[in-house]
Amino acid sequence: MIIYYNVEPLRSKQEIAAFVNYARNGTHGERNALLILIGLNTGLRMSDILNLKVAQVRYQDVVQITEKKTKKRRLILLTRLRPQINHYIEDLPDSEYLFTNRQHHPLSVNAVYKLFQTIARKMNRTDIGTHTLRKTFGYHYYQQTHDIGTLMMIFNHSSEAITKRYIGLSQDVIMRQMAGFSLGIEGASGEKENNQKDWLVPRVAGLTSLFGMALFIIDCSF
């Protein structure tokens, strides 16, 4: 059975700042904030972030990883995060995973999901999941560069349409177009307006259902 997730990127700087701050001000704040910052600035899948070890990030800013899902090699750049990384790993041994629990076992994707759900409730959001960081990276990378080709390569996607849908651009386009769309509203009054409403209700409901289905994204497929 296919499970659909309506997971969206954080589209504004204010949303990103709030997300990071909620993580930083909670339990294991420094760990959680750094995990989020790495996700936001590299676009890695959560499973690959949690697979990082201290030694990988201590001595170099350009880190080569092998993606767990695709088995492909990828380089990530951590230069801008060097101050935060150095402070966090100062007393950690090279052999340890970068993000661990109290028993020094690597964090699980499920544990991160629960953390993100706690933050989502504080932000009154129902569309945040473990792919939110990856989608947010892609959304803002595209907004700043409009380079969909490079983003496709980073995400290992097979088409521009898949990448645009994944990072939420398709939904943005639909919502912008629908914002100025109306039928039977201007210039209608009285019985004529009521008749138009009666005629439109079942059809608009059908359109809403179709658009709702179209906007769902399979979060676990990318």
Side-chain angles (χ1 to χ4, degrees), residues 65-77:
I65 68 151
T66 300
E67 295 182 337
K68 293 185 72 173
K69 180 177 180 179
T70 66
K71 309 305 179 185
K72 293 181 179 180
R73 293 181 179 179
R74 183 184 158 190
L75 295 176
I76 59 173
L77 185 63

Side-chain angles (χ1 to χ4, degrees), residues 145-172:
T145 68
H146 295 284
D147 184 358
I148 196 68
T150 298
L151 195 54
M152 281 173 56
M153 289 189 290
I154 292 173
F155 283 164
N156 286 313
H157 287 170
S158 59
S159 73
E160 291 186 8
I162 290 174
T163 301
K164 288 181 177 179
R165 181 176 54 130
Y166 180 73
I167 63 177
L169 287 181
S170 297
Q171 178 172 325
D172 282 0

Side-chain angles (χ1 to χ4, degrees), residues 19 31 67 78 94 114-115 119 134 189-190 212:
F19 195 78
R31 179 200 68 186
E67 295 182 337
L78 300 176
D94 284 355
K114 290 179 179 179
L115 166 66
I119 298 174
R134 184 170 163 87
S189 61

Side-chain angles (χ1 to χ4, degrees), residues 31-54:
R31 179 200 68 186
N32 296 339
L34 182 60
L35 183 153
I36 290 169
L37 289 173
I38 288 178
L40 290 173
N41 287 279
T42 65
L44 287 178
R45 292 182 181 87
M46 186 54 62
S47 58
D48 294 321
I49 295 174
L50 299 179
N51 203 40
L52 291 171
K53 289 196 171 183
V54 173

